[in-house]
Amino acid sequence: MNIPRIATALNHIDDELVSGAVEYKRKKKSPWKKWVALAACLCLVSSLFAPHLYMKQYVQKNHIVEHNSSDMEYVTVLPEYADEWEAAYRIHGILSQQEYPWYGNCRFDFDSETIMVGLTEVTDSNKQAVLAHTADTPVAFYQCEYSYQYLQQLYNKLEGKRAELSFLGVAWFAVSATKNRVCVCIDNPKNYLAICAASMLDSQGGAIEFITGEAVYLIE
Amino acid sequence: MDDLQIIELYFDRNERAIKETDRKYGRLCFQVAKNLLWNREDSEECVNDTYLALWNQIPPTRPNNFTAFICKITRNLSLKKLESAYALKRSADILSLSEFEALLPDYSLAPDIGDQELGEQISAFLRSEKELDRNVFLRRYWFFDSISQIAKRYSLGENTVKSMLFRTRYKLREFLKKEGFEV
């Protein structure tokens, strides 16, 4: 057996390579670095999920519910009620112009076949003020939760944040006089960020109804 | 004592130079020789021959890299000693010189190219390698450390060392082919 030529040739390699191999010490990975990396990963994961969980809790705590637009009942206006329907809209138009802080909404109720006027404070003076605008049209009164003025203000707040809300996944929003709510359509029911962002503008709470599914504009 | 001071002792023809060299490099030289010769007496003789060669070469030579200079002398002397039939017979099973044979066995291949030029090409190749891969290769084929020694030195698994060596050998072979060596 002869010494392979390459073993002899290796004796002519650069001095730096030889002394480098004598002095070289491999840097050992510190065990704590592994734990720091793991902790950093956990922090990252929790920082990603914590806001989501917080917002989910916020949504549950504030009883914010959403409806799927496919489950919602859409009312078809029958021709025989067209006059009453139109009258309800006309009265709503007049009353909303008056900026009464207690006026809620005006809608035609198909079950009772009556035009219903919702007031946040059902008092005789408020009723009289409404009747002064309804002429001979018969109306009935009921207690509603939110004034139209408040819903309009809420709508304006949402309008002011339209770009941000759109970025967060809000498809559209509108005041629904019939529902006595502001309807906000979001891209998916788990979009807690969009729900929270919109809900935080609702100072009274509960005045927003969230809708998911197809963005069908059927409000009003 | 640092290398420059030791070299100065050689230049002053001071016998303390040998003592200081032995103190600083004795173990390293012995290990280089022992890895090749696998015999204590032969290795010690090789180390002593190294000191003699140093005494004879310095002056006039003033080595820039004393560590490499002394290691190269020891390795060269050890390889020469290994060529004796007796030593070869003893260490053939231990050394993995066969790992080299596939690469460039003898002077029948690329006979016009000198060892110096081949060494320069290998240097260029090794400089392009990762530091760990390079040093694992050198520990194995320059210092003739065993796989287990390398694994222990660099806190690696033996299989990892083997695969690193295989990969580097393959890459060196391809590099030499590319450079025009018929391997």
Side-chain angles (χ1 to χ4, degrees):
Chain A
M1 183 181 176
N2 291 320
I3 304 293
R5 186 186 171 192
I6 201 152
T8 318
L10 268 171
N11 225 34
H12 296 276
I13 62 167
D14 289 354
D15 288 353
E16 287 72 28
L17 294 172
V18 177
S19 56
V22 172
E23 290 153 13
Y24 177 73
K25 282 187 172 59
R26 188 179 171 221
K27 284 175 193 166
K28 282 186 185 174
K29 287 178 185 170
S30 305
W32 62 268
K33 278 187 183 172
K34 188 173 71 181
W35 293 109
V36 167
L38 187 67
C41 285
L42 284 173
C43 283
L44 184 69
V45 169
S46 57
S47 67
L48 289 173
F49 279 95
H52 179 81
L53 291 173
Y54 171 78
M55 285 184 284
K56 189 179 177 181
Q57 270 188 336
Y58 177 90
V59 169
Q60 287 166 349
K61 196 175 159 187
N62 291 281
H63 306 291
I64 298 167
V65 288
E66 51 83 24
H67 304 283
N68 194 306
S69 62
S70 59
D71 299 336
M72 290 171 77
E73 289 181 17
Y74 297 113
V75 179
T76 307
V77 183
L78 297 169
E80 54 265 39
Y81 296 125
D83 289 343
E84 288 82 352
W85 187 270
E86 191 274 332
Y89 267 90
R90 183 171 45 77
I91 293 167
H92 169 68
I94 295 165
L95 293 174
S96 59
Q97 292 289 316
Q98 304 307 310
E99 295 184 355
Y100 293 132
W102 36 261
Y103 169 68
N105 63 352
C106 181
R107 61 183 172 83
F108 180 68
D109 184 54
F110 290 94
D111 295 330
S112 61
E113 297 182 351
T114 315
I115 293 173
M116 305 291 289
V117 176
L119 306 176
T120 56
E121 295 163 32
V122 186
T123 61
D124 288 342
S125 61
N126 291 348
K127 284 181 186 175
Q128 288 303 319
V130 171
L131 290 172
H133 298 287
T134 56
D136 297 334
T137 312
V139 295
F141 295 95
Y142 77 102
Q143 176 85 41
C144 71
E145 288 179 81
Y146 303 99
S147 72
Y148 186 75
Q149 212 175 26
Y150 173 73
L151 296 177
Q152 199 61 47
Q153 283 168 0
L154 178 55
Y155 175 86
N156 291 339
K157 284 183 193 171
L158 291 165
E159 186 63 39
K161 304 269 182 194
R162 181 178 281 277
E164 294 93 320
L165 292 169
S166 175
F167 176 75
L168 295 175
V170 172
W172 54 264
F173 45 86
V175 176
S176 168
T178 334
K179 289 173 179 287
N180 190 227
R181 294 283 189 282
V182 173
C183 290
V184 173
C185 184
I186 50 174
D187 53 0
N188 80 71
K190 302 271 185 206
N191 189 347
Y192 298 121
L193 189 58
I195 293 174
C196 284
S199 298
M200 280 172 179
L201 299 173
D202 177 14
S203 54
Q204 288 189 18
I208 296 177
E209 185 173 299
F210 290 95
I211 303 167
T212 55
E214 287 179 28
V216 185
Y217 200 99
L218 286 174
I219 310 300
E220 291 283 6
Chain B
M1 188 175 277
D2 66 28
D3 291 350
L4 286 175
Q5 288 171 311
I6 297 172
I7 292 165
E8 279 310 312
L9 289 175
Y10 279 103
F11 271 85
D12 296 342
R13 308 313 289 163
N14 187 336
E15 288 182 11
R16 211 179 125 216
I18 305 289
K19 201 178 168 186
E20 293 298 335
T21 306
D22 185 55
R23 185 177 291 166
K24 192 167 180 185
Y25 293 106
R27 258 183 72 185
L28 176 64
C29 291
F30 180 78
Q31 196 57 50
V32 171
K34 179 87 185 304
N35 281 348
L36 271 164
L37 303 168
W38 280 90
N39 177 280
R40 188 172 187 88
E41 287 75 36
D42 285 350
S43 302
E44 280 172 353
E45 194 183 322
C46 228
V47 173
N48 288 330
D49 289 348
T50 302
Y51 298 152
L52 182 64
L54 282 172
W55 186 259
N56 290 333
Q57 288 183 43
I58 310 172
T61 310
R62 187 179 284 276
N64 290 324
N65 188 329
F66 193 57
T67 311
F69 187 75
I70 194 169
C71 284
K72 278 184 175 182
I73 292 173
T74 311
R75 187 179 186 271
N76 219 10
L77 290 170
S78 303
L79 278 171
K80 276 180 184 167
K81 198 173 271 293
L82 189 65
E83 275 177 328
S84 72
Y86 172 73
L88 263 180
K89 191 183 171 190
R90 196 169 49 216
S91 56
D93 296 335
I94 302 155
L95 283 174
S96 333
L97 293 177
S98 56
E99 288 173 27
F100 273 116
E101 286 193 316
L103 203 58
L104 200 65
D106 53 40
Y107 287 85
S108 61
L109 293 170
D112 302 335
I113 297 154
D115 286 344
Q116 180 70 36
E117 192 185 339
L118 189 54
E120 283 169 13
Q121 292 296 337
I122 296 168
S123 295
F125 165 78
L126 289 174
R127 273 195 296 268
S128 70
E129 286 296 287
K130 285 180 192 166
E131 198 174 20
L132 181 62
D133 290 347
R134 179 172 68 228
N135 287 313
V136 165
F137 181 90
L138 286 169
R139 290 307 317 185
R140 181 65 177 151
Y141 301 122
W142 206 96
F143 293 90
F144 298 100
D145 284 356
S146 66
I147 300 287
S148 59
Q149 279 176 317
I150 299 168
K152 196 177 171 188
R153 174 182 274 267
Y154 296 135
S155 308
L156 296 166
E158 290 192 15
N159 285 334
T160 311
V161 174
K162 281 178 191 169
S163 63
M164 283 170 94
L165 290 169
F166 177 81
R167 216 169 39 235
T168 314
R169 274 200 317 270
Y170 175 79
K171 282 161 84 176
L172 175 59
R173 190 182 166 83
E174 292 303 305
F175 178 85
L176 292 175
K177 268 187 191 173
K178 204 176 154 190
E179 294 299 318
F181 290 87
E182 290 174 23
V183 290

